[in-house]
Amino acid sequence: MTTSNEIVNLFNEIFSSKDGDFGSTISHLKEMGYGINYHTFEEQPGRRFITVFTKHCDLDKEENPISTGAIFDLNGKLRSYPGNKAKDYTLTPTTSVALSGEGIMVNDKGFTCSFPVSGYMYYSGTRMMLWNSGTPDVPVWRLSTSKAVNAFESKWNTEKSFGQMFTDLLANYHLTLSTFCAQLNPNCSYSFMMVHPEMHNVISSNSQGTLYLVGVYDVESYQHLNTEQVYQEMFSFFNGLVSKITTTTYGTYQELSDLFLRVANGTSVGEILTDADFNNYK
């Protein structure tokens, strides 16, 4: 499974080998099979930012590091990292789930992980990344999706862009993006699952919409931070705007096998699982 260091090392090597030549860098990444989106913000002319994502990947066979929308500048510096791509295990009433000597067999597909494993209910919405395109001393906060550097230029089946939806939610609490980000760590990128009332086919008990904090990543130390701790320190006072995900900890394959069986027979909702090495499964 991909780690952020693999991605950083690979892309640093590519960017440096191309001597900052934008066209050559983009061409090389596309030849490797990556999807690319890039953007230059008006306030930062001459500086391009690139989001790199893996298209239609098979996580069991993928040769290159998986990227779920990591954002870099053209010096190869990591700016935002939303976490490892989740390995998908589809569970239906006909799915066979059985303990094996070294993990769990889901039909003919093996499941192994490192413990403890943290799980939270799968939320239907859009993954949004909040990250700093400036410096630690003068941060410039940006909103991105997994496939678009500028969330204000990205939409799907709605009149509003994803960026507009995010700022809509802030406005419900009399906040702007600047005031919302005022106390955030400029060396971190923040990952939210956004639920907005104008999203189609998304059901939420919150009529105004909400933001679920699902991940925090330090782009200087290349470390995942404790989401629960960051929520309490940075977001708990945004009552209603930012919601805390409810997590369950699993310590054995037996516990996970029981979960898989409940999901398969429809008595439990699906979960996103993150193991001790920050590999993700759904």
Side-chain angles (χ1 to χ4, degrees):
M1 188 68 75
T2 304
T3 67
S4 60
N5 285 342
E6 290 179 67
I7 294 173
V8 170
N9 291 338
L10 172 65
F11 293 162
N12 276 338
E13 181 180 334
I14 293 172
F15 292 137
S16 61
S17 68
K18 301 302 177 183
D19 295 322
D21 183 271
F22 181 72
S24 297
T25 301
I26 295 299
S27 296
H28 189 86
L29 288 169
K30 287 183 175 179
E31 288 170 1
M32 296 178 69
Y34 289 109
I36 301 293
N37 178 263
Y38 55 87
H39 188 79
T40 301
F41 296 100
E42 291 183 4
E43 308 94 312
Q44 295 175 292
R47 298 191 65 190
R48 286 190 175 104
F49 297 90
I50 303 173
T51 184
V52 185
F53 55 93
T54 303
K55 300 186 296 184
H56 312 298
C57 65
D58 182 338
L59 295 184
D60 292 321
K61 300 178 180 178
E62 189 67 36
E63 295 180 358
N64 296 321
I66 304 299
S67 178
T68 53
I71 295 176
F72 296 83
D73 61 28
L74 274 189
N75 294 320
K77 176 177 172 55
L78 181 67
R79 293 292 186 151
S80 175
Y81 186 70
N84 291 339
K85 191 173 183 66
K87 193 171 185 178
D88 194 4
Y89 289 81
T90 301
L91 302 172
T92 70
T94 61
T95 300
S96 170
V97 178
L99 289 171
S100 67
E102 298 179 351
I104 303 172
M105 290 302 298
V106 181
N107 290 332
D108 58 351
K109 191 175 183 179
F111 174 90
T112 59
C113 63
S114 56
F115 290 100
V117 172
S118 177
Y120 67 88
M121 182 179 72
Y122 179 80
Y123 295 100
S124 180
T126 296
R127 176 69 71 95
M128 300 290 290
M129 298 302 302
L130 184 60
W131 57 282
N132 174 25
S133 70
T135 65
D137 294 332
V138 186
V140 183
W141 291 97
R142 306 294 186 185
L143 284 170
S144 299
T145 70
S146 60
K147 295 184 179 180
V149 174
N150 185 2
F152 291 94
E153 294 184 351
S154 177
K155 64 175 68 173
W156 185 78
N157 204 23
T158 59
E159 289 296 321
K160 294 180 178 178
S161 69
F162 292 120
Q164 288 174 303
M165 290 184 182
F166 194 101
T167 54
D168 272 357
L169 299 184
L170 301 186
N172 290 338
Y173 292 85
H174 309 290
L175 293 167
T176 65
L177 191 60
S178 295
T179 55
F180 181 68
C181 297
Q183 302 302 316
L184 300 187
N185 184 341
N187 290 324
C188 291
S189 63
Y190 299 84
S191 180
F192 300 91
M193 188 60 69
M194 178 178 70
V195 177
H196 188 280
E198 293 181 37
M199 287 179 172
H200 299 292
N201 302 320
V202 173
I203 299 173
S204 173
S205 59
N206 189 326
S207 61
Q208 288 188 308
T210 192
L211 300 169
Y212 292 99
L213 181 69
V214 295
V216 184
Y217 191 81
D218 189 319
V219 297
E220 293 296 325
S221 65
Y222 306 135
Q223 295 291 320
H224 294 272
L225 302 188
N226 185 299
T227 305
E228 168 72 19
Q229 181 178 340
V230 173
Y231 174 85
Q232 294 297 337
E233 293 175 354
M234 300 285 189
F235 298 104
S236 58
F237 52 87
F238 291 120
N239 186 31
L241 170 60
V242 181
S243 298
K244 180 177 65 171
I245 57 174
T246 300
T247 60
T248 302
T249 300
Y250 302 95
T252 67
Y253 282 120
Q254 180 66 63
E255 292 175 349
L256 288 176
S257 177
D258 292 343
L259 170 67
F260 289 5
L261 287 170
R262 292 196 302 272
V263 174
N265 64 32
T267 59
S268 180
V269 298
E271 293 190 14
I272 301 293
L273 303 176
T274 303
D275 72 8
D277 294 324
F278 293 96
N279 297 313
N280 293 325
Y281 313 86
K282 65 178 179 179

